[in-house]
Structure formats: structure tokens, C-alpha cells
Amino acid sequence: IKNLDVYEYSAKTVKSSITGYGSANKNQIKKMVQVLLSLEKPIHSEHINDAISVAICHLHCQPIFVG
């Protein structure tokens, strides 16, 4: 795929953007994903939580564009 931007984030960056603490554990991240997405129940799959956490981190790390 041409012209596709690739981004890379360290585990500490992802954890910090989700919980505010770069050494957060999986349960803390799971709880914050639940809170941030206003979910009634936490997501039980660690893989899905990891993917959502990276996506949220990416959103937090992007500059805000004001038209």
C-alpha cells in the first residue's frame, strides 16, 4: 500500500495516554477503556483492549485541526 502513514507508540506512551500513568497494569487499562468508551461491561479480550488502547493513544497524540 503506497502513501500509508505508519505510527509507532511505546507501551509507556499508550499506558500514559489511557490512564495518565506510564506503568499502569492491564486491569487499570481495561477499566479506563471501559470508562472512556462509556461501556457497561469491560471488554474481556486483552487483544481487543490493546488495539483500542493504541487507537485512543493515536487520537490523543494527534494535533487538533481547527478549520
Side-chain angles (χ1 to χ4, degrees), residues 9-46:
Y9 302 101
S10 69
K12 280 196 176 287
T13 299
V14 174
K15 291 174 181 183
S16 181
S17 73
I18 301 298
T19 66
Y21 178 58
S23 296
N25 64 41
K26 291 275 188 185
N27 287 330
Q28 291 169 315
I29 295 168
K30 181 188 289 191
K31 181 62 179 173
M32 282 306 300
V33 167
Q34 179 185 358
V35 169
L36 291 169
L37 298 181
S38 301
L39 302 174
E40 290 183 23
K41 298 179 183 178
I43 297 169
H44 293 290
S45 168
E46 285 189 28

